[in-house]
Amino acid sequence: MYQQYFKRLLDILFSIFLLIITSWIFILLILLYVITFNVPVFFVQERIGQRNIAFRMLKFRTLKLSHEHDRRFALGNALRFLSLDELPQIVNVLKGDMSLIGPRPLPVEYLPLFSIEQKKRHNVKPGITGWAQVNGRNSVSWRTKFKFDLMYVQNVSFLFDLKIVVKTILVLLSFKKDTSLFEKKFTGSDGE
């Protein structure tokens, strides 16, 4: 009942609320991108959604478009550190491509590499945050991430989502170093 009806309703209500209270951050960041000549503002990438259907995920762009060795820039580094680069995904939640909570959406190039068991992570909508994100994020192996994802898929509930929201806030407030740029690509098999 929760997963079929109330989760989507909560996603819509909280997304609207988040968009209202963060609209000033969106405006400020867009201005900063323009002023520092770091356009385009958004990074759009095809990701795997529910039932293995691809969608276009939004993020604030945190890397230069050039092919230099080091593509990072100051504003992008700050957004990654504060996890603000994920904010535009609220739009994906409103559109129904994503949920606030669920397994992180992965690039479409990974789809042929998943085992039948790993594909079960796509039985639910992908999320901005999830059980794997609050339990190690990029510091754990792919196998462990998938284990957390499947644990979430099998136990979706309001209380579980609430627990993830609380843990997400604690993780964000810990200001841990972002290591996503150094994450190994998933190459298939068991995800080691």
Side-chain angles (χ1 to χ4, degrees):
M1 187 78 157
Y2 168 72
Q3 189 176 347
Q4 277 189 306
Y5 304 106
F6 295 117
K7 187 170 168 68
R8 178 66 186 142
L9 179 62
L10 288 175
D11 277 343
I12 292 168
L13 293 175
F14 278 104
S15 294
I16 292 169
F17 173 72
L18 287 171
L19 270 180
I20 291 167
I21 65 167
T22 62
S23 58
W24 66 274
I25 298 175
F26 273 90
I27 293 165
L28 177 65
L29 289 176
I30 290 167
L31 285 173
L32 284 172
Y33 272 95
V34 172
I35 290 167
T36 58
F37 302 103
N38 283 303
V39 288
V41 173
F42 298 105
F43 171 75
V44 182
Q45 187 180 47
E46 291 272 305
R47 295 288 177 108
I48 308 164
Q50 189 176 24
R51 295 184 298 278
N52 301 320
I53 298 168
F55 71 97
R56 292 163 61 83
M57 189 185 80
L58 293 171
K59 291 178 85 166
F60 280 118
R61 190 172 55 80
T62 59
L63 295 174
K64 293 177 187 173
L65 296 177
S66 65
H67 296 289
E68 297 170 29
H69 175 65
D70 187 2
R71 296 173 54 208
R72 292 176 288 185
F73 59 96
L75 179 57
N77 290 341
L79 292 181
R80 277 181 179 272
F81 179 73
L82 297 169
S83 293
L84 289 175
D85 59 320
E86 311 283 354
L87 265 183
Q89 288 163 42
I90 296 170
V91 174
N92 287 118
V93 175
L94 274 174
K95 285 174 59 184
D97 297 326
M98 293 177 67
S99 176
L100 291 171
I101 299 155
R104 283 297 293 159
L106 296 173
V108 289
E109 66 194 65
Y110 289 176
L111 191 55
L113 304 174
F114 291 126
S115 68
I116 292 169
E117 187 68 12
Q118 290 163 350
K119 281 185 180 177
K120 289 179 182 174
R121 72 191 298 280
H122 305 132
N123 289 347
V124 298
K125 285 184 184 178
I128 295 176
T129 186
W131 192 230
Q133 276 57 52
V134 298
N135 283 290
R137 199 175 179 179
N138 298 315
S139 63
V140 296
S141 69
W142 281 105
R143 178 192 285 182
T144 305
K145 283 184 205 176
F146 292 146
K147 188 180 105 182
F148 284 130
D149 288 343
L150 294 176
M151 193 182 299
Y152 177 76
V153 170
Q154 293 159 5
N155 298 284
V156 177
S157 71
F158 175 72
L159 289 178
F160 198 4
D161 279 0
L162 195 58
K163 182 177 183 176
I164 293 170
V165 168
V166 171
K167 286 192 82 167
T168 298
I169 292 167
L170 294 175
V171 168
L172 289 174
L173 293 176
S174 71
F175 294 106
K176 287 185 179 174
K177 185 180 177 185
D178 175 53
T179 58
S180 59
L181 287 177
F182 310 105
E183 179 183 50
K184 286 184 188 174
K185 282 195 160 194
F186 177 58
T187 56
S189 68
D190 60 2
E192 271 306 311

